[in-house]
Amino acid sequence: MKQEKVYHPKKVEEYVQKYWETHKTFRTNIDRRKEKFYCLSMFPYPSGKLHMGHVRNYTIGDVIARCQRMLGKNVLHPIGWDSFGLPAENAAIRNNISASRWTTSNIGKMKKQLKKLGFSYDWSREISTCNPKYYRWEQWFFTKLYKKGLVYKKFAEVNWCPTDKTVLANEQVVDGLCWNCDETIERKNQLQWFVKITEYSEELLQGLKYLKKWPEKVKTMQKNWIGKTDGFEIQFHVPCKKETLFVYVEKENIYTIMGISCIYIASNHPLVLKIFKKDKKIWKFVKTCQKIQISEGVVSTIAKEGVFSNLYAIHPVTKENIPIWIVNFILVKDNINIKLSVPSLNYEDYKFSQKYNIPYKEIISWDSRNKNILRRNFPESIRKDETLKDVEKYDVITTKEMNLQIIRRLISLKLAKKKIRYRLRDWEVSRQRLWGVRIPIASNKGDTTTVPRKYLPILSYEDRRDHSKNFSNLSDTNGIKKDSILIKGKKLYLEKDTLDTFVQSSWYYARYTCPNYNKGMLNKKIANYWLPVDQYIGGIEHSTMHLLYIRFFHKLMRDEGLLSSDEPVINLLCQGMILSDAFYVLDNEKKRIWISSDRVVVKRDRYGKIVESRDHEGNPVIHGGMMKMSKSKNNGVDPETIIEQYGADTVRLFIMFIAPVEMNIEWNNSQMIGAHRFVKKLWKIVLDNVSEKSNVALNIDRFNEKQVDLYVSLQKTIKKVTHDMIHQFCFNTAISEIMKLVKKISHYHGKDEQDTALVKEILNKIILMLFPIIPHVCFVLWKSLGNYQNIDHEKWPSFDEDYIRNNTTRKIILQINGKFIDKIVFKRNNISEREITSFVQKRYPHLKSCKIRKIIYIRSKLINILIDRK
């Protein structure tokens, strides 16, 4: 490429990207001579447009992948498309086209955008979850799970989104709203398919201990979501209905049953379903409850209401009648439909009892000195227990002792049994969609079976409509294109439901290792070479959905013999979100319609806060605040516009420099200018030095003092950047160090040939360190400096620790009786107190005639000599 004094990003980037594509630079194969490194970013949904949130995720991944290549590792860095789902289906309906055409078109657009950013993907491994060659193996795997008894179908009360018209898993309901469209969720009873993730509850929980390089926040969220507790299931009999209520109580809280005022049951409890039609008040209350989805985010804010069921349960210890109340505040998603009310321990229970005039016992008063001691009067049934000694002393007892006595009695009466409970529920995978993976089950009049492998894939409804698509490249079938099938001479009807799209994204990382393998789901030998993923990058919002599901799916594939590792990911990096101003208006139904900021004119106060916002027609618009960039909020920034203006390298540099990777970024286009200025400055410095003709080799033994100082700065920069970029992922501080060195050489004006050789050496190392971040510019500048081999194959620069130690100067402040005297320069970094004292006494001989009372030495910074003058 012809070198120009002025930096033209478009020319540079097109030239370099064409070279990479032509030479297949990033194609990866197994190479057992090298250490493998699998670097993966969570793959995108092909909406047709990237936003800066995507760019940040993929830039971080690309920088890490390039660094690892420079460290000599065999790097796998793939990309693909999470391409089934509601957005494509809805777009197809709106535009009267097939979802497959819409998706294929969007993949083409986004692929072009990704290539413009210069990401070093192995495009030969590209996969799309809507490709029958991919999802046929997902259907095959589902049949395996069915035969193992890990899949089942049952009627269940489900989360129903009235807008998207589909069922949602518990994890897809956020504060009672649909995660996709923010619509209020309704409860609905429906026949659904489930996968038994609960069979792996304990292993998923214990496996968190071995994820040493996962963020603690993510592990805590998963631990809480799995929610293991150790306790007892206690029986409360309901005589008039000949029913028994089974109440779970944690073992350390058994004593609380002595203070219950009533029993709460949810509106979906089986007992309620038997009685609610007989009482108008109960019927009305239950119907109201069924319309809402209670979640952790709203349970603390809703008005806690209830209705008396007209039923009583018998207390297992006191034999008292305990009233049963139907309430609206039990979390349905926890699958808990019964709880105990203990007003003396719980303020919310106290308020509920006061509101409905439910009598209760004041059973506990805490000792002021020992918080573990409580005073109480025991019922006779407990006081007469033979295991108790010194009964008269037991008006003071620890909670631990009381728990023990109560549970012994309940177990002896067969009214309690040990139980370990998990909050985690089985994964509800049925979805009512056209654009999705059909569930490979066929049935007719009670005869149910899996669809044999030879008939797979069962094409999606949308694939069947799209006649432009040719599936003849499938290995042994064109796929089922109808709703019935003959199996062993029987006509069976195919399941209409599709699988949750999270199923497709739960194993894609494994398929990347062998994307074109057509003899099975995975090639075990190849999968075991690459897996587990060494570095995974994605948002923390996926902690209890995607990240939990891939761990579960990995164990399922392991148990099927498809791979051998226990966990899918070694190191997890959760990047911060990119925030942008979001604006909306309300429609007639008070629903939010999000408006692009391009269509909004804002006024700000002197502090930059938005005080007024209107659309181009002058109509008022509501400012929703700084929110995560997303298509649903219509507040994404189009990367292509920024790339056209500043170039991909500037965008990459800005993204990596603006903040630590874990922190959120508030987007501001004006901040891009500084990053662009630095790239142009680097370009100019390199090309200015290229004109300096010199073939003199660098000789560090002949350096003068200024050259030594500059060379030490280079070694320190390499050391700092290596630590920050390679080991800590502190890319912003690493870039800052490089910028300081660039500034230093821009002000360095040497006169001899060693100066020219030294500057070129420093520029070479700067370009090597910046290559993972701004690869296009560095690719061209590396050649400009006269290097023969392309930078793609260069190693990460090393630093000389001995040179740093032996040539680092240290300025130490000298004080006498606290008064500044001098700055003493030493050429060594670690100077002992004795050496400095001896040096000071030689430089200032008059100190020998003084009595030294004390020496205060702060290592490598200051020495204060306290003297008494004679």
Side-chain angles (χ1 to χ4, degrees):
M1 179 181 177
K2 184 180 178 181
Q3 301 303 308
E4 299 181 21
K5 285 286 184 180
V6 179
Y7 169 55
H8 295 291
K10 189 172 183 180
K11 288 183 181 179
V12 170
E13 288 162 12
E14 286 180 351
Y15 166 77
V16 177
Q17 288 164 15
K18 185 176 180 181
Y19 177 89
W20 287 336
E21 188 166 3
T22 302
H23 290 80
K24 297 181 174 58
T25 303
F26 308 114
R27 184 72 64 89
T28 311
N29 293 301
I30 289 178
D31 186 349
R32 299 192 183 277
R33 297 169 300 175
K34 296 181 179 180
E35 180 184 352
K36 71 92 179 174
F37 190 90
Y38 186 174
C39 182
L40 182 64
S41 294
M42 293 181 186
F43 63 169
Y45 181 81
S47 61
K49 186 184 293 185
L50 292 177
H51 59 65
M52 282 299 171
H54 291 124
V55 175
R56 190 182 197 192
N57 184 319
Y58 306 138
T59 302
I60 293 169
D62 192 58
V63 170
I64 293 172
R66 288 179 180 274
C67 285
Q68 294 299 320
R69 285 193 194 94
M70 295 181 76
L71 292 173
K73 295 180 184 178
N74 187 28
V75 175
L76 173 60
H77 189 211
I79 192 66
W81 312 97
D82 189 11
S83 48
F84 270 129
L86 278 170
E89 187 171 318
N90 291 339
I93 294 169
R94 286 194 304 268
N95 300 297
N96 196 29
I97 60 173
S98 71
S100 60
R101 290 186 184 185
W102 188 86
T103 301
T104 302
S105 173
N106 287 344
I107 287 175
K109 294 173 187 175
M110 291 180 73
K111 186 173 181 178
K112 186 178 179 182
Q113 288 179 311
L114 290 174
K115 287 190 173 183
K116 277 190 173 183
L117 283 157
F119 297 138
S120 58
Y121 296 129
D122 181 354
W123 285 102
S124 69
R125 295 175 181 269
E126 178 186 8
I127 61 174
S128 177
T129 60
C130 70
N131 190 327
K133 293 174 69 176
Y134 177 83
Y135 69 71
R136 69 176 300 195
W137 297 113
E138 186 173 308
Q139 291 173 332
W140 169 82
F141 192 60
F142 189 90
T143 65
K144 291 291 184 181
L145 298 180
Y146 181 87
K147 291 172 183 176
K148 283 185 172 183
L150 290 170
V151 167
Y152 64 93
K153 192 177 188 180
K154 72 169 184 176
F155 274 101
E157 193 174 32
V158 297
N159 307 309
W160 178 261
C161 177
T163 297
D164 291 334
K165 292 181 171 47
T166 189
V167 168
L168 301 176
N170 289 331
E171 294 86 346
Q172 294 166 319
V173 178
V174 182
D175 295 338
L177 304 176
C178 172
W179 72 292
N180 181 62
C181 68
D182 289 338
E183 178 63 85
T184 301
I185 295 305
E186 297 175 359
R187 299 296 292 173
K188 192 173 182 180
N189 208 43
Q190 191 161 306
L191 199 58
Q192 293 288 108
W193 284 96
F194 292 83
V195 179
K196 291 184 180 179
I197 191 173
T198 52
E199 292 285 314
Y200 287 77
S201 296
E202 187 65 22
E203 188 178 356
L204 287 167
L205 181 63
Q206 296 303 322
L208 294 171
K209 298 176 183 178
Y210 305 103
L211 301 178
K212 304 293 186 183
K213 296 181 180 180
W214 280 44
E216 287 301 320
K217 185 176 180 180
V218 172
K219 292 192 287 185
T220 299
M221 290 171 74
Q222 289 204 6
K223 181 180 179 181
N224 293 339
W225 192 261
I226 296 168
K228 180 183 179 181
T229 53
D230 192 2
F232 291 85
E233 192 174 67
I234 301 173
Q235 297 179 26
F236 287 76
H237 296 301
V238 185
C240 67
K241 290 293 177 182
K242 296 182 180 180
E243 294 278 350
T244 300
L245 300 179
F246 296 92
V247 183
Y248 177 81
V249 183
E250 294 179 20
K251 67 178 182 180
E252 64 269 20
N253 295 324
I254 296 297
Y255 70 92
T256 62
I257 72 167
M258 304 309 300
I260 58 177
S261 62
C262 69
I263 297 175
Y264 300 139
I265 58 176
S267 60
N268 66 339
H269 191 280
L271 185 59
V272 176
L273 300 178
K274 290 182 179 181
I275 66 170
F276 82 105
K277 291 181 181 179
K278 299 178 182 179
D279 187 301
K280 288 185 178 180
K281 189 177 180 180
I282 294 176
W283 182 87
K284 185 178 179 181
F285 182 80
V286 170
K287 286 298 180 182
T288 303
C289 291
Q290 288 176 347
K291 291 180 181 180
I292 61 173
Q293 161 68 23
I294 302 301
S295 66
E296 289 172 337
V298 297
V299 73
S300 60
T301 60
I302 63 171
K304 293 177 175 52
E305 297 177 346
V307 62
F308 181 42
S309 69
N310 299 314
L311 298 175
Y312 293 88
I314 303 299
H315 195 290
V317 176
T318 67
K319 306 304 178 183
E320 297 172 316
N321 285 331
I322 306 298
I324 300 171
W325 280 73
I326 305 166
V327 297
N328 69 339
F329 51 83
I330 291 180
L331 297 184
V332 175
K333 73 175 183 179
D334 284 353
N335 208 35
I336 298 173
N337 51 24
I338 183 167
K339 287 185 177 181
L340 301 178
S341 171
V342 188
S344 60
L345 287 178
N346 185 291
Y347 182 62
E348 294 297 328
D349 291 343
Y350 169 77
K351 289 195 298 182
F352 188 86
S353 296
Q354 293 286 79
K355 181 176 180 179
Y356 292 102
N357 296 315
I358 304 172
Y360 67 92
K361 298 177 181 179
E362 190 69 48
I363 63 162
I364 294 177
S365 60
W366 293 95
D367 186 285
S368 59
R369 291 184 303 165
N370 189 342
K371 301 299 182 183
N372 192 40
I373 301 297
L374 50 86
R375 296 188 178 92
R376 69 171 63 249
N377 290 318
F378 288 98
E380 283 298 311
S381 57
I382 291 292
R383 294 181 67 86
K384 291 180 180 179
D385 193 302
E386 293 181 359
T387 60
L388 291 174
K389 296 179 180 179
D390 300 325
V391 173
E392 67 278 1
K393 296 181 182 179
Y394 271 82
D395 58 342
V396 176
I397 185 172
T398 65
T399 56
K400 183 178 180 181
E401 290 168 338
M402 188 175 182
N403 285 334
L404 181 62
Q405 304 307 329
I406 294 172
I407 206 61
R408 279 177 179 171
R409 180 168 183 79
L410 293 177
I411 290 176
S412 69
L413 296 173
K414 297 183 179 180
L415 294 174
K417 62 178 180 180
K418 286 185 178 181
K419 186 172 184 178
I420 293 175
R421 180 184 167 273
Y422 298 91
R423 181 175 182 262
L424 183 67
R425 300 294 98 199
D426 280 339
W427 184 4
E428 200 174 284
V429 295
S430 287
R431 297 295 179 267
Q432 295 68 44
R433 297 171 186 167
L434 298 175
W435 186 232
V437 176
R438 296 281 298 278
I439 293 176
I441 302 292
S443 60
N444 189 6
K445 296 180 180 179
D447 188 2
T448 302
T449 186
T450 57
V451 175
R453 171 175 167 174
K454 66 180 180 178
Y455 294 120
L456 299 177
I458 307 169
L459 300 183
S460 74
Y461 292 106
E462 286 290 277
D463 279 335
R464 287 161 51 184
R465 286 198 327 163
D466 189 1
H467 301 296
S468 68
K469 208 162 186 177
N470 177 19
F471 298 121
S472 60
N473 59 346
L474 291 172
S475 59
D476 55 6
T477 179
N478 288 326
I480 300 172
K481 300 179 182 179
K482 51 188 179 180
D483 290 322
S484 63
I485 186 173
L486 283 174
I487 300 178
K488 296 181 180 179
K490 295 181 181 179
K491 184 178 181 180
L492 301 175
Y493 294 95
L494 295 170
E495 175 66 51
K496 292 183 178 180
D497 280 2
T498 58
L499 290 170
D500 181 8
T501 54
F502 276 95
V503 178
Q504 287 95 74
S505 60
S506 294
W507 68 283
Y508 79 107
Y509 67 95
R511 185 64 179 178
Y512 276 140
T513 64
C514 48
N516 300 312
Y517 187 62
N518 61 10
K519 294 181 180 180
M521 188 175 184
L522 297 176
N523 181 316
K524 184 176 180 179
K525 184 177 180 181
I526 296 175
N528 284 335
Y529 170 80
W530 288 114
L531 293 172
V533 175
D534 295 280
Q535 182 64 60
Y536 200 28
I537 305 104
I540 200 168
E541 66 270 20
H542 298 292
S543 297
T544 54
M545 285 197 288
H546 170 63
L547 290 172
L548 185 62
Y549 292 152
I550 67 165
R551 293 185 60 222
F552 170 51
F553 233 77
H554 193 86
K555 297 175 193 306
L556 290 175
M557 291 189 289
R558 175 203 62 193
D559 292 347
E560 186 59 32
L562 298 172
L563 42 80
S564 58
S565 50
D566 292 325
E567 293 287 345
V569 173
I570 296 173
N571 200 346
L572 175 66
L573 174 62
C574 292
Q575 88 280 358
M577 297 181 291
I578 296 190
L579 311 178
S580 180
D581 286 308
F583 301 90
Y584 65 91
V585 294
L586 299 175
D587 64 11
N588 295 332
E589 297 179 359
K590 302 297 181 182
K591 292 183 179 179
R592 295 180 179 185
I593 300 175
W594 297 94
I595 299 174
S596 173
S597 58
D598 296 338
R599 296 171 51 199
V600 179
V601 179
V602 301
K603 287 185 180 180
R604 300 178 183 269
D605 60 20
R606 62 176 182 169
Y607 303 106
K609 183 180 178 181
I610 294 176
V611 293
E612 183 181 318
S613 52
R614 295 181 179 274
D615 63 20
H616 290 166
E617 287 75 39
N619 302 312
V621 173
I622 301 170
H623 179 222
M626 296 292 288
M627 305 180 77
K628 177 188 174 182
M629 281 190 187
S630 69
K631 294 176 283 295
S632 62
K633 299 296 185 295
N634 208 1
N635 66 333
V637 174
D638 185 0
E640 269 198 281
T641 304
I642 308 297
I643 292 170
E644 286 296 319
Q645 186 174 358
Y646 298 107
D649 280 337
T650 295
V651 173
R652 292 170 61 116
L653 179 67
F654 167 78
I655 287 289
M656 302 304 292
F657 178 60
I658 193 64
V661 291
E662 298 89 355
M663 286 183 60
N664 293 340
I665 296 174
E666 292 190 2
W667 184 260
N668 188 338
N669 281 347
S670 62
Q671 295 173 324
M672 193 72 66
I673 298 171
H676 189 56
R677 190 183 297 123
F678 173 77
V679 176
K680 291 194 296 183
K681 180 180 181 179
L682 179 66
W683 182 274
K684 185 177 184 304
I685 290 173
V686 171
L687 292 187
D688 285 347
N689 279 276
V690 167
S691 61
E692 297 286 342
K693 303 295 182 182
S694 175
N695 294 319
V696 174
L698 190 69
N699 188 342
I700 60 176
D701 296 328
R702 296 177 55 190
F703 280 172
N704 58 36
E705 190 172 337
K706 286 185 177 181
Q707 291 165 347
V708 168
D709 181 62
L710 190 58
Y711 194 67
V712 168
S713 295
L714 170 64
Q715 299 304 314
K716 286 183 175 179
T717 301
I718 296 173
K719 180 180 179 180
K720 170 70 172 169
V721 172
T722 301
H723 174 267
D724 288 2
M725 263 179 85
I726 305 296
H727 304 297
Q728 298 296 320
F729 296 159
C730 297
F731 303 106
N732 59 320
T733 57
I735 293 169
S736 179
E737 288 297 313
I738 296 171
M739 286 179 169
K740 290 176 187 176
L741 185 59
V742 170
K743 183 177 181 180
K744 196 165 189 176
I745 62 170
S746 69
H747 295 144
Y748 183 79
H749 302 291
K751 296 180 180 179
D752 63 23
E753 290 182 326
Q754 279 300 307
D755 286 315
T756 302
L758 176 58
V759 169
K760 285 190 176 181
E761 172 70 9
I762 293 172
L763 287 172
N764 272 315
K765 294 299 191 288
I766 287 172
I767 289 169
L768 285 173
M769 289 185 286
L770 283 174
F771 174 61
I773 301 166
I774 51 173
H776 306 91
V777 167
C778 292
F779 184 97
V780 174
L781 294 183
W782 180 256
K783 283 289 189 178
S784 300
L785 287 168
N787 295 293
Y788 176 74
Q789 188 172 343
N790 283 328
I791 195 171
D792 296 315
H793 308 292
E794 290 295 323
K795 300 296 183 185
W796 183 262
S798 59
F799 58 90
D800 189 337
E801 185 66 57
D802 291 337
Y803 194 90
I804 295 172
R805 184 170 53 254
N806 295 330
N807 293 280
T808 297
T809 59
R810 175 66 65 180
K811 294 180 180 178
I812 297 178
I813 295 173
L814 170 64
Q815 293 179 344
I816 295 179
N817 289 343
K819 183 178 180 181
F820 174 79
I821 301 297
D822 197 0
K823 280 186 180 179
I824 307 171
V825 179
F826 292 92
K827 286 190 175 182
R828 284 172 48 215
N829 198 13
N830 297 317
I831 311 296
S832 68
E833 179 181 343
R834 183 176 179 182
E835 288 176 305
I836 293 177
T837 304
S838 175
F839 179 86
V840 169
Q841 288 177 336
K842 288 179 181 178
R843 176 173 285 195
Y844 300 96
H846 68 277
L847 290 175
K848 293 180 179 179
S849 62
C850 300
K851 181 180 178 182
I852 298 177
R853 287 189 289 109
K854 188 177 182 181
I855 296 176
I856 301 171
Y857 176 54
I858 300 175
R859 180 176 289 276
S860 301
K861 290 184 179 180
L862 176 146
I863 185 167
N864 184 14
I865 302 176
L866 304 180
I867 62 172
D868 290 330
R869 299 184 184 277
K870 294 182 179 179

